[in-house]
Amino acid sequence: MAKRPLTPRECELVVCSLYVMELIPFEGIMERLESITLRDIIGPVATGDATRQQAAESLDQYIKVRRRRFRNVPPEHLWSLDDRMEQEALRMIRKRSPLSAGEKLQPKAIPFEMGDTVEMKVTEIQERNSKVTVIGKVGQVTAKLPVANRQALKGSKTIAAWVTGIEKKPALIHLSTSDYGKHQPSAEVLAAYVTAIRGLRQFFETNELPSTEEVDLAKSLFQRMIRRDQNDWFTVYVAMGRPQLDHVRRWVKVIQMLGKSLRGDEDATRQLASQEDRFFKDALLRACRSVEKNLDSRT
């Protein structure tokens, strides 16, 4: 097709498609996949928890969303690509040596995740507009911690806290010493969360329309992970399988369109139809299923 070599991620896509079409074995490839999404698609097939047809549908979605180069090539046709460079790329990914335990293909600039407990070395205390912020280092990464009482920090050289947010450029992590965000809602509230998310999932899977109340609640669940303004935002984030916040921001926009569409906004209905397959729908469905699985058991 193209005259340039494939990128490593494109190689992984082609290999996964070949495996789904039962044209190559997959032993030893799983641990080499850099794409988290492709791992999620292929992993259940390799363990027998999903069918190849389900994986093909997920790959089709992945292609439409993430691979412009393959946007017109369905998974069942990827195996027929015969460009010399692509075939060479396929051979190279199969030859790549296995990763040792704990090794990653690309080291993270910030080796922490939201929710991790860390110890910050204090380097500076800032006070602006009656607000106090502690600046410090966690390893080589700059960290910020808002505090209510400066006097409580007097003489403190290190502070134990947990990660509430991560910024990649420039590398920065936000910390907290309170449990705000980790509240466990009551069984009745969790049941309402599950019902709202289930209605959203069924719409994107079968076009069954949810109620406006369910859409509004589902939207608020996604928004709170971005704004971190509710006492259970981190509980919801974990229940959703820790989705990428860039994805969540796109989901909120689409759910807003759905809410307007249900209230009779024709422009929103047209926009919603044009957004199909452009907002990481496969990842959204995984997050919805994760909520149903993780919260349904607590109700």
Side-chain angles (χ1 to χ4, degrees):
M1 286 169 54
K3 298 304 179 185
R4 64 167 176 80
L6 291 180
T7 66
R9 192 62 60 84
E10 288 169 338
C11 293
E12 293 178 353
L13 172 61
V14 177
V15 169
C16 290
S17 300
L18 290 170
Y19 168 68
V20 168
M21 298 304 298
E22 299 186 83
L23 294 173
I24 63 168
F26 204 67
E27 290 76 8
I29 300 295
M30 172 61 72
E31 66 273 15
R32 306 181 201 179
L33 290 181
E34 184 176 350
S35 168
I36 296 176
T37 303
L38 288 176
R39 284 175 179 259
D40 290 344
I41 293 172
I42 298 302
V45 179
T47 58
D49 295 329
T51 66
R52 293 180 184 276
Q53 178 60 35
Q54 290 171 328
E57 293 172 356
S58 297
L59 283 174
D60 195 19
Q61 174 70 23
Y62 179 87
I63 291 166
K64 290 177 182 177
V65 175
R66 301 295 298 273
R67 296 266 76 86
R68 289 187 177 182
R69 179 151 179 255
F70 293 123
R71 63 177 176 268
N72 295 320
V73 185
E76 60 268 23
H77 293 159
L78 278 176
W79 62 269
S80 65
L81 305 181
D82 56 3
D83 183 275
R84 183 190 306 174
M85 297 302 291
E86 293 181 354
Q87 294 301 316
E88 180 63 22
L90 277 177
R91 286 194 290 272
M92 288 303 295
I93 191 173
R94 294 191 66 190
K95 289 179 181 177
R96 188 160 59 187
S97 59
L99 297 176
S100 59
E103 182 183 358
K104 297 181 179 179
L105 290 171
Q106 293 183 352
K108 289 185 178 180
I110 301 179
F112 307 107
E113 293 183 352
M114 287 166 58
D116 287 351
T117 301
V118 298
E119 194 166 275
M120 178 182 71
K121 183 177 180 180
V122 178
T123 59
E124 180 184 357
I125 298 179
Q126 297 179 348
E127 188 169 357
R128 295 175 182 173
N129 300 324
S130 302
K131 294 183 178 180
V132 180
T133 302
V134 179
I135 309 297
K137 290 285 187 179
V138 178
Q140 301 299 316
V141 184
T142 301
K144 295 178 67 174
L145 169 66
V147 296
N149 186 359
R150 177 170 182 165
Q151 296 301 319
L153 299 174
K154 193 172 183 179
S156 298
K157 295 183 178 179
T158 60
I159 301 174
W162 63 283
V163 180
T164 61
I166 296 176
E167 297 180 24
K168 295 182 179 179
K169 292 183 180 180
L172 174 69
I173 59 177
H174 297 271
L175 304 178
S176 175
T177 55
S178 75
D179 289 331
Y180 185 82
K182 296 183 177 182
H183 172 71
Q184 298 296 323
S186 66
E188 292 78 11
V189 173
L190 292 178
Y193 288 177
V194 172
T195 300
I197 292 297
R198 182 178 292 123
L200 189 68
R201 174 183 60 79
Q202 290 174 343
F203 169 76
F204 287 113
E205 286 185 336
T206 66
N207 288 324
E208 179 181 344
L209 293 178
S211 67
T212 54
E213 292 78 11
E214 289 173 345
V215 172
D216 290 342
L217 179 54
K219 182 181 71 173
S220 75
L221 292 177
F222 290 107
Q223 285 179 325
R224 70 188 58 189
M225 291 188 290
I226 300 171
R227 298 173 178 173
R228 303 195 292 273
D229 60 349
Q230 298 295 324
N231 200 24
D232 61 354
W233 73 263
F234 185 72
T235 302
V236 173
Y237 173 71
V238 173
M240 286 196 181
R242 299 172 180 264
Q244 295 186 37
L245 296 185
D246 288 343
H247 292 185
V248 176
R249 292 185 181 94
R250 296 194 183 194
W251 299 342
V252 168
K253 293 179 181 179
V254 173
I255 296 170
Q256 286 174 335
M257 290 181 200
L258 175 58
K260 291 179 180 178
S261 176
L262 292 174
R263 291 177 170 89
D265 189 323
E266 295 182 359
D267 288 339
T269 301
R270 286 192 293 269
Q271 291 178 16
L272 182 64
S274 69
Q275 287 295 317
E276 181 72 11
D277 296 333
R278 297 183 184 178
F279 55 91
F280 305 103
K281 189 170 86 172
D282 56 334
L284 170 60
L285 292 176
R286 283 199 305 276
C288 291
R289 295 188 190 106
S290 179
V291 169
E292 293 180 62
K293 177 182 177 182
N294 293 328
L295 297 188
D296 217 2
S297 60
R298 305 185 197 178
T299 59

